[in-house]
Amino acid sequence: MNMEIIRTDKAPQPAGSYSQAVKFGNMVYVAGTCPFELGSNKVMYPGRMEEQTKLVLTYMSAVLQEAGSSLKHVLKVTAFLDDLDAFGEYNKAYAEFFPIDPPARSTVEIGKFPPGMRVEIECTAYIPE
């Protein structure tokens, strides 16, 4: 099996030495995706958890599509929030993208994001045969 780097201009470009996603066999590993404006490092919807969550999951969907997968094939999600007190807002937006049989998920509060940023999400998915 060969590793393939996945790139799309429909999601923010990496801000460091990493890829948007890596495909290996029928698996796709999507890096932490942030609510940045395409083409810049500007945080979209500063301070607004629901809107940022929806934007991040829309970007993640585009990365998965580029790899031949989709949100329907996500197995595991890890989300990083700036404040777990906003979990309800995050979960409400998240549930719109995974309404039935959602994937396994871990949610972690982290200490510091760029100003105005509230959420970053990564996932592992499979590519259907």
Side-chain angles (χ1 to χ4, degrees):
M1 281 190 272
N2 292 323
M3 180 176 85
E4 179 184 345
I5 302 302
I6 304 302
R7 295 179 182 92
T8 180
D9 61 359
K10 295 178 181 172
Q13 298 305 303
S17 183
Y18 63 92
S19 299
Q20 287 173 315
V22 175
K23 180 176 164 182
F24 187 75
N26 73 332
M27 299 298 294
V28 182
Y29 303 88
V30 180
T33 305
C34 301
F36 296 143
E37 178 180 53
L38 295 180
S40 80
N41 285 329
K42 177 184 173 193
V43 174
M44 300 296 292
Y45 310 112
R48 295 167 52 192
M49 179 64 79
E50 276 191 62
E51 289 85 351
Q52 287 188 9
T53 300
K54 290 176 184 180
L55 181 61
V56 167
L57 290 170
T58 299
Y59 287 156
M60 187 173 290
S61 177
V63 173
L64 289 167
Q65 185 175 10
E66 186 69 25
S69 188
S70 73
L71 291 174
K72 291 189 305 188
H73 302 103
V74 172
L75 301 171
K76 173 72 167 72
V77 168
T78 303
F80 306 94
L81 307 183
D82 72 332
D83 184 352
L84 282 177
D85 287 343
F87 181 84
E89 296 170 64
Y90 157 75
N91 197 54
K92 178 182 174 190
Y94 179 93
E96 291 179 26
F97 289 79
F98 299 103
I100 300 171
D101 299 329
R105 179 178 73 182
S106 300
T107 306
V108 180
E109 181 178 295
I110 68 154
K112 189 172 184 178
F113 274 139
M117 190 169 132
R118 307 226 43 210
V119 62
E120 178 177 354
I121 304 173
E122 65 182 26
C123 76
T124 302
Y126 68 95
I127 299 167
E129 296 181 19

